[in-house]
Amino acid sequence: QEVAEAIRELLKSQGPLSLAQIAELRPIQGGLEELVALVRIAKAIDAVSLEGVEHLVVADRQGQTIRAKVPVLLLSADQFPENFESLPL
């Protein structure tokens, strides 16, 4: 929920963004787990799925970089519910 709140605030200030754009503005600190959390949040709010994939580089907890391919999902602040407990995460 903490990640979801931070993402919604970012989207409020920046407008709709894809997962790669979010990771660029708010670098992933929690490794692959945080990337999975971003994808789960996007799916939970029914983010718009666009064609193609995005490439992200994520550092794991040991500092090794992992290159990941994720679907292009466009998130918008207005897709989030007011109550984060209602998000099926």
Side-chain angles (χ1 to χ4, degrees):
Q1 288 181 356
E2 192 176 303
V3 174
E5 289 179 35
I7 297 305
R8 183 176 69 173
E9 292 307 312
L10 178 65
L11 295 169
K12 279 183 179 179
S13 68
Q14 299 292 316
L17 298 170
S18 71
L19 292 176
Q21 292 169 321
I22 290 170
E24 195 174 298
L25 294 170
R26 184 185 179 275
I28 294 174
Q29 305 292 319
L32 211 47
E33 294 86 1
E34 187 175 345
L35 176 58
V36 170
L38 285 176
V39 173
R40 288 183 70 183
I41 290 165
K43 296 289 188 176
I45 65 168
D46 293 325
V48 176
S49 181
L50 303 175
E51 285 204 24
V53 294
E54 295 182 299
H55 298 272
L56 299 168
V57 177
V58 179
D60 68 12
R61 295 185 191 269
Q62 288 75 36
Q64 297 180 339
T65 57
I66 300 167
R67 187 176 169 102
K69 275 196 296 191
V70 296
V72 180
L73 299 170
L74 189 65
L75 292 79
S76 176
D78 62 356
Q79 293 171 305
F80 283 81
E82 287 300 315
N83 182 357
F84 283 97
E85 274 87 49
S86 66
L87 272 179
L89 299 176

